[in-house]
Coordinates of all heavy atoms in Angstrom, one line a residue:
Chain G
Q213 N -11.6 12.8 36.3 CA -11.8 14.3 36.4 C -12.6 14.7 35.1 O -12.2 14.4 34.0 CB -10.5 15.0 36.4 CG -10.5 16.4 36.2 CD -11.2 17.3 37.2 OE1 -12.4 17.6 37.0 NE2 -10.6 17.5 38.3
G214 N -13.6 15.5 35.3 CA -14.1 16.1 34.1 C -15.6 16.4 34.1 O -16.4 16.1 35.0
T215 N -15.9 17.1 33.0 CA -17.3 17.3 32.6 C -17.5 16.6 31.2 O -16.6 16.5 30.4 CB -17.6 18.8 32.4 OG1 -16.8 19.3 31.4 CG2 -17.3 19.6 33.7
I216 N -18.7 16.0 31.1 CA -19.0 15.2 29.9 C -20.3 15.6 29.4 O -21.2 15.9 30.1 CB -19.1 13.7 30.4 CG1 -17.7 13.2 30.9 CG2 -19.6 12.8 29.3 CD1 -17.8 11.9 31.7
A217 N -20.4 15.6 28.0 CA -21.7 15.7 27.4 C -22.0 14.6 26.5 O -21.1 14.1 25.8 CB -21.8 17.0 26.6
A218 N -23.2 14.1 26.5 CA -23.6 13.0 25.5 C -25.0 13.4 25.0 O -25.8 14.0 25.7 CB -23.6 11.7 26.3
S219 N -25.3 12.9 23.8 CA -26.6 13.1 23.2 C -26.9 12.1 22.2 O -26.1 11.5 21.5 CB -26.7 14.5 22.6 OG -28.0 14.7 22.0
D220 N -28.2 11.8 22.1 CA -28.8 10.9 21.1 C -29.5 11.6 20.0 O -30.1 11.0 19.2 CB -29.7 9.9 21.8 CG -30.9 10.6 22.4 OD1 -31.0 11.8 22.5 OD2 -31.8 9.9 22.9
G221 N -29.4 13.0 20.1 CA -30.1 13.8 19.1 C -31.4 14.4 19.6 O -32.0 15.3 19.0
E222 N -31.9 13.9 20.7 CA -33.1 14.4 21.3 C -32.8 15.1 22.6 O -33.4 16.1 23.0 CB -34.1 13.2 21.6 CG -34.3 12.3 20.4 CD -35.3 13.0 19.4 OE1 -36.1 13.8 19.8 OE2 -35.1 12.7 18.2
T223 N -32.0 14.5 23.4 CA -31.7 14.9 24.8 C -30.2 15.1 24.9 O -29.4 14.4 24.3 CB -32.2 13.9 25.8 OG1 -33.6 13.7 25.6 CG2 -31.9 14.3 27.2
V224 N -29.8 16.1 25.8 CA -28.4 16.3 26.1 C -28.3 15.9 27.6 O -29.0 16.4 28.4 CB -27.9 17.7 25.9 CG1 -26.5 17.9 26.4 CG2 -28.0 18.1 24.4
W225 N -27.3 15.0 27.9 CA -27.0 14.7 29.3 C -25.6 15.4 29.5 O -24.6 15.1 28.7 CB -26.9 13.2 29.5 CG -28.2 12.6 29.4 CD1 -29.1 12.3 30.5 CD2 -28.8 12.0 28.3 NE1 -30.2 11.7 30.0 CE2 -30.1 11.5 28.7 CE3 -28.5 11.9 26.9 CZ2 -31.0 10.8 27.8 CZ3 -29.3 11.3 26.0 CH2 -30.6 10.8 26.5
A226 N -25.5 16.2 30.6 CA -24.2 16.8 30.9 C -23.8 16.5 32.3 O -24.5 16.8 33.3 CB -24.3 18.3 30.7
F227 N -22.6 15.9 32.4 CA -22.2 15.4 33.7 C -21.1 16.2 34.3 O -20.2 16.6 33.5 CB -21.7 13.9 33.6 CG -22.7 13.0 33.0 CD1 -22.8 12.9 31.6 CD2 -23.4 12.1 33.7 CE1 -23.7 12.0 31.0 CE2 -24.3 11.2 33.2 CZ -24.5 11.2 31.8
R228 N -21.1 16.5 35.6 CA -20.0 17.1 36.2 C -19.5 16.3 37.4 O -20.3 16.1 38.4 CB -20.4 18.5 36.7 CG -19.2 19.3 37.2 CD -19.5 20.8 37.5 NE -18.4 21.4 38.0 CZ -18.4 22.4 38.9 NH1 -19.5 22.8 39.5 NH2 -17.2 22.9 39.3
Y229 N -18.4 15.7 37.3 CA -17.9 14.8 38.3 C -16.4 14.6 38.3 O -15.8 14.6 37.2 CB -18.5 13.4 38.1 CG -18.1 12.4 39.0 CD1 -18.6 12.3 40.3 CD2 -17.0 11.5 38.7 CE1 -18.2 11.3 41.2 CE2 -16.5 10.6 39.6 CZ -17.1 10.5 40.9 OH -16.6 9.6 41.8
S230 N -15.8 14.5 39.5 CA -14.4 14.1 39.6 C -14.2 13.3 40.8 O -14.9 13.5 41.8 CB -13.5 15.3 39.5 OG -13.8 16.2 40.6
S231 N -13.3 12.4 40.8 CA -13.0 11.5 42.0 C -12.7 12.3 43.2 O -13.0 12.0 44.3 CB -11.9 10.6 41.7 OG -12.1 9.8 40.5
Q232 N -12.1 13.5 42.9 CA -11.7 14.3 44.1 C -12.8 15.3 44.5 O -12.6 16.0 45.5 CB -10.4 15.1 43.6 CG -9.7 15.8 44.7 CD -8.4 16.5 44.2 OE1 -8.1 16.5 43.0 NE2 -7.6 17.0 45.1
G233 N -13.8 15.4 43.8 CA -14.9 16.3 44.1 C -14.5 17.8 43.7 O -15.1 18.7 44.3
Q234 N -13.6 17.9 42.8 CA -13.2 19.3 42.4 C -13.2 19.3 40.9 O -12.1 19.3 40.3 CB -11.8 19.7 43.0 CG -11.7 19.7 44.5 CD -10.4 20.2 45.0 OE1 -9.5 20.4 44.3 NE2 -10.3 20.4 46.3
S235 N -14.3 19.4 40.3 CA -14.4 19.2 38.9 C -14.2 20.4 38.1 O -14.3 21.5 38.6 CB -15.9 18.6 38.6 OG -16.1 17.4 39.2
R236 N -13.9 20.3 36.8 CA -13.9 21.4 35.9 C -15.2 22.1 35.9 O -16.3 21.6 36.2 CB -13.7 20.9 34.5 CG -12.4 20.1 34.3 CD -11.2 21.0 34.2 NE -10.0 20.3 33.8 CZ -9.1 19.8 34.6 NH1 -9.2 20.0 35.9 NH2 -8.0 19.2 34.2
T237 N -15.2 23.4 35.6 CA -16.4 24.2 35.7 C -17.4 23.8 34.6 O -17.1 23.3 33.6 CB -16.0 25.7 35.4 OG1 -15.4 25.8 34.1 CG2 -15.1 26.2 36.5
L238 N -18.7 24.1 35.0 CA -19.8 23.8 34.1 C -21.0 24.7 34.4 O -21.3 24.8 35.6 CB -20.2 22.3 34.1 CG -21.1 21.8 33.0 CD1 -20.4 21.9 31.7 CD2 -21.6 20.4 33.3
F239 N -21.6 25.2 33.4 CA -22.7 26.1 33.5 C -23.8 25.8 32.6 O -23.6 25.2 31.5 CB -22.2 27.6 33.3 CG -21.2 28.1 34.3 CD1 -19.9 27.8 34.1 CD2 -21.6 28.8 35.4 CE1 -19.0 28.2 35.1 CE2 -20.7 29.3 36.3 CZ -19.4 29.0 36.1
H240 N -25.1 26.2 33.0 CA -26.2 26.1 32.0 C -26.8 27.4 31.9 O -26.7 28.3 32.8 CB -27.2 25.0 32.4 CG -28.0 25.3 33.6 ND1 -29.2 25.8 33.6 CD2 -27.7 25.2 34.9 CE1 -29.7 26.0 34.8 NE2 -28.8 25.6 35.7
S241 N -27.4 27.7 30.8 CA -28.1 29.0 30.6 C -29.4 29.0 31.3 O -30.1 28.0 31.5 CB -28.3 29.2 29.1 OG -29.1 28.1 28.6
A242 N -29.8 30.3 31.7 CA -31.1 30.5 32.3 C -32.2 30.4 31.3 O -31.9 30.5 30.1 CB -31.1 31.8 33.0
D243 N -33.4 30.2 31.8 CA -34.6 30.2 30.9 C -34.7 31.5 30.1 O -34.6 32.6 30.6 CB -35.8 30.1 31.9 CG -37.1 30.1 31.1 OD1 -37.3 29.1 30.4 OD2 -37.8 31.0 31.3
I244 N -34.8 31.3 28.8 CA -34.8 32.5 27.9 C -36.0 33.5 28.1 O -35.7 34.7 28.2 CB -34.8 32.0 26.4 CG1 -33.4 31.4 26.1 CG2 -35.2 33.2 25.5 CD1 -32.3 32.4 25.8
P245 N -37.2 33.0 28.3 CA -38.3 34.0 28.5 C -38.0 34.8 29.8 O -38.2 36.0 29.8 CB -39.5 33.1 28.7 CG -39.2 31.9 27.9 CD -37.7 31.7 28.0
T246 N -37.5 34.1 30.8 CA -37.1 34.9 32.1 C -36.0 35.9 31.8 O -36.1 37.0 32.3 CB -36.7 33.9 33.1 OG1 -37.6 32.8 33.2 CG2 -36.5 34.6 34.5
L247 N -35.0 35.5 31.0 CA -33.9 36.4 30.7 C -34.4 37.6 30.0 O -34.0 38.8 30.2 CB -32.8 35.7 29.9 CG -31.8 34.9 30.7 CD1 -30.9 34.2 29.8 CD2 -31.0 35.9 31.6
R248 N -35.4 37.4 29.1 CA -35.9 38.5 28.3 C -36.6 39.5 29.2 O -36.5 40.7 28.9 CB -36.8 38.0 27.2 CG -36.1 37.4 26.0 CD -37.0 37.5 24.7 NE -36.7 36.4 23.8 CZ -37.3 35.2 23.8 NH1 -38.3 35.0 24.6 NH2 -36.9 34.3 22.9
E249 N -37.3 39.0 30.2 CA -38.0 39.9 31.1 C -37.0 40.7 31.9 O -37.1 41.9 32.2 CB -38.9 39.1 32.1 CG -40.2 38.8 31.4 CD -41.1 38.0 32.4 OE1 -41.1 38.3 33.6 OE2 -41.8 37.1 32.0
M250 N -35.9 40.0 32.3 CA -34.8 40.6 33.1 C -34.1 41.7 32.3 O -33.7 42.7 32.9 CB -33.8 39.6 33.6 CG -34.3 38.7 34.7 SD -33.1 37.3 35.0 CE -31.7 38.1 35.6
Y251 N -33.9 41.4 31.0 CA -33.1 42.3 30.2 C -33.8 42.7 29.0 O -33.5 42.3 27.9 CB -31.7 41.6 29.8 CG -30.9 41.3 31.0 CD1 -30.8 40.0 31.5 CD2 -30.1 42.3 31.6 CE1 -30.0 39.7 32.6 CE2 -29.3 42.0 32.7 CZ -29.2 40.7 33.2 OH -28.4 40.4 34.3
P252 N -34.9 43.5 29.1 CA -35.7 43.8 27.9 C -34.8 44.6 26.8 O -35.2 44.6 25.7 CB -36.8 44.7 28.5 CG -36.3 45.2 29.8 CD -35.4 44.1 30.3
D253 N -33.7 45.2 27.2 CA -32.9 46.0 26.3 C -31.8 45.2 25.6 O -31.2 45.7 24.7 CB -32.3 47.2 26.9 CG -33.4 48.1 27.5 OD1 -34.5 48.1 27.0 OD2 -33.1 48.9 28.4
V254 N -31.6 43.9 26.0 CA -30.6 43.1 25.3 C -31.1 42.5 24.1 O -31.8 41.5 24.1 CB -30.0 42.1 26.3 CG1 -29.0 41.2 25.6 CG2 -29.4 42.7 27.5
E255 N -30.8 43.1 23.0 CA -31.4 42.7 21.7 C -31.0 41.3 21.3 O -31.8 40.6 20.7 CB -31.0 43.6 20.6 CG -31.6 45.0 20.7 CD -31.2 46.0 19.6 OE1 -30.7 45.5 18.6 OE2 -31.4 47.2 19.8
R256 N -29.9 40.9 21.7 CA -29.4 39.6 21.3 C -30.3 38.5 21.8 O -30.4 37.4 21.2 CB -28.0 39.4 21.9 CG -27.3 38.2 21.4 CD -25.8 38.2 21.9 NE -25.4 36.8 22.1 CZ -25.2 36.0 21.0 NH1 -25.3 36.4 19.8 NH2 -24.9 34.7 21.3
L257 N -31.0 38.7 22.9 CA -31.9 37.7 23.4 C -33.0 37.3 22.5 O -33.6 36.2 22.5 CB -32.4 38.1 24.8 CG -31.3 38.1 25.9 CD1 -31.9 38.7 27.2 CD2 -30.9 36.6 26.2
A258 N -33.4 38.3 21.6 CA -34.4 38.0 20.7 C -34.0 37.0 19.6 O -34.8 36.4 18.9 CB -34.8 39.3 20.0
T259 N -32.7 36.8 19.5 CA -32.2 35.8 18.5 C -32.7 34.4 18.9 O -32.8 33.5 18.0 CB -30.6 35.8 18.6 OG1 -30.2 37.1 18.5 CG2 -30.1 35.0 17.4
F260 N -32.9 34.1 20.2 CA -33.1 32.8 20.6 C -34.6 32.4 20.8 O -35.4 33.3 21.2 CB -32.4 32.6 22.0 CG -30.9 32.8 21.8 CD1 -30.3 33.9 22.2 CD2 -30.1 31.8 21.2 CE1 -29.0 34.1 22.1 CE2 -28.8 32.0 21.0 CZ -28.2 33.1 21.5
G261 N -34.9 31.2 20.5 CA -36.3 30.7 20.8 C -36.5 30.5 22.3 O -35.6 30.5 23.1
D262 N -37.8 30.3 22.6 CA -38.1 30.1 24.1 C -37.5 28.8 24.7 O -37.3 28.8 25.9 CB -39.6 30.0 24.2 CG -40.3 31.3 24.1 OD1 -39.6 32.3 23.9 OD2 -41.6 31.4 24.2
H263 N -37.2 27.9 23.8 CA -36.6 26.6 24.4 C -35.1 26.5 24.2 O -34.5 25.4 24.4 CB -37.3 25.4 23.7 CG -38.8 25.4 24.0 ND1 -39.7 25.9 23.1 CD2 -39.5 24.9 25.0 CE1 -40.9 25.8 23.6 NE2 -40.8 25.2 24.7

Side-chain angles (χ1 to χ4, degrees):
Chain G
Q213 164 65 262
T215 64
I216 296 165
S219 181
D220 61 354
E222 308 285 330
T223 300
V224 173
W225 293 268
F227 304 83
R228 187 174 181 216
Y229 176 82
S230 58
S231 306
Q232 195 174 5
Q234 298 184 354
S235 299
R236 299 285 190 263
T237 56
L238 192 64
F239 294 82
H240 70 96
S241 56
D243 178 65
I244 287 283
T246 309
L247 276 176
R248 282 204 209 95
E249 278 181 39
M250 287 168 65
Y251 297 102
D253 297 336
V254 175
E255 291 181 15
R256 189 173 151 72
L257 289 170
T259 314
F260 299 102
D262 284 0
H263 299 94

